[in-house]
Amino acid sequence: MKVDLSKYDNSWYHPGRHMIVRGAWYIVNGLFFLNPFFPFSGLKRRMLRFFGAKIGKGVVIKPRVNIKYPWRLTVGDYTWLGEEVWIDNLAQVNIGAHCCLSQGAMILCGNHDFSKTTFDLMVGPIVLEDGVWIGAKSIVTGKTTCLSHSVLAVNSVAGGKLEAYGVYRGNPAEKVKQREIKNKGKH
């Protein structure tokens, strides 16, 4: 058997908003979020809320952040979205408070079933609980939950569940140690 993309059909999938709203978001995303010369987090937070995202206070959104569907996004207080973060939220993405998504991190809710000739679309939600750190160039796949204060090290790939305070590395990511957080000023 061979893959036959002419038979691909994702008509069952609905992005959750009318085509006009999606088109308007596409323009806003391109002009203000993907733009490297627009560093204003406050305005970005307001635009995301206007399009249906639930965004907490103090959220930092660096330039060149790409968000597929803001109406499927929740971000808690004081979370940082670094340069070139890509939130491809074909399903709901919930990011807790005080999280850090470092440069180039990818949050990917969608994938394809490579075992089928029709290469069917598969989607699943992603949850990043409070205090999670997703390292630079790392990938979190659909149906993944990163529990409180877990860490995904640079250039790693997470799928499934990351334990609270666990530090994970590799592809696929494996737990390498337990995260310890020290009080400020004490080394």
Side-chain angles (χ1 to χ4, degrees):
M1 302 295 288
K2 294 182 180 181
V3 171
D4 183 358
L5 293 178
S6 70
K7 306 267 190 250
Y8 178 76
D9 176 19
N10 70 341
S11 61
W12 62 269
Y13 179 78
H14 190 276
R17 293 292 188 270
H18 190 276
M19 182 186 316
I20 293 171
V21 175
R22 293 193 318 264
W25 170 250
Y26 185 79
I27 292 167
V28 167
N29 193 41
L31 289 175
F32 301 106
F33 286 78
L34 292 171
N35 184 341
F37 303 110
F38 193 82
F40 309 106
S41 291
L43 289 171
K44 291 177 187 177
R45 288 191 302 263
R46 285 193 285 280
M47 286 184 250
L48 285 169
R49 289 178 188 127
F50 178 80
F51 279 93
K54 295 175 180 77
I55 305 295
K57 64 183 174 183
V59 172
V60 174
I61 305 167
K62 294 290 191 171
R64 296 180 296 178
V65 169
N66 190 9
I67 298 169
K68 176 83 77 176
Y69 299 133
W71 45 90
R72 290 192 168 151
L73 179 63
T74 299
V75 180
D77 297 340
Y78 303 105
T79 284
W80 300 348
L81 304 180
E83 291 90 347
E84 297 183 351
V85 163
W86 182 16
I87 301 174
D88 191 23
N89 54 339
L90 296 171
Q92 182 65 34
V93 169
N94 294 328
I95 301 170
H98 305 280
C99 292
C100 178
L101 281 66
S102 293
Q103 302 87 337
M106 298 172 68
I107 308 301
L108 306 177
C109 292
N111 204 340
H112 294 276
D113 187 344
F114 61 81
S115 69
K116 294 190 176 178
T117 61
T118 52
F119 208 52
D120 295 354
L121 178 66
M122 305 180 306
V123 299
I126 293 174
V127 175
L128 308 179
E129 292 186 352
D130 293 349
V132 166
W133 180 15
I134 305 300
K137 303 286 186 186
S138 291
I139 299 171
V140 179
T141 62
K143 299 181 183 175
T144 296
T145 298
C146 299
L147 295 176
S148 176
H149 294 81
S150 57
V151 174
L152 182 62
V154 66
N155 210 29
S156 296
V157 179
K161 184 183 272 187
L162 276 59
E163 295 174 12
Y165 290 87
V167 177
Y168 291 79
R169 180 176 60 212
N171 180 8
E174 295 181 358
K175 186 175 179 185
V176 294
K177 64 181 178 179
Q178 199 67 12
R179 181 181 188 182
E180 293 181 33
I181 300 175
K182 299 175 184 174
N183 288 330
K184 183 178 177 179
K186 296 181 182 179
H187 300 284

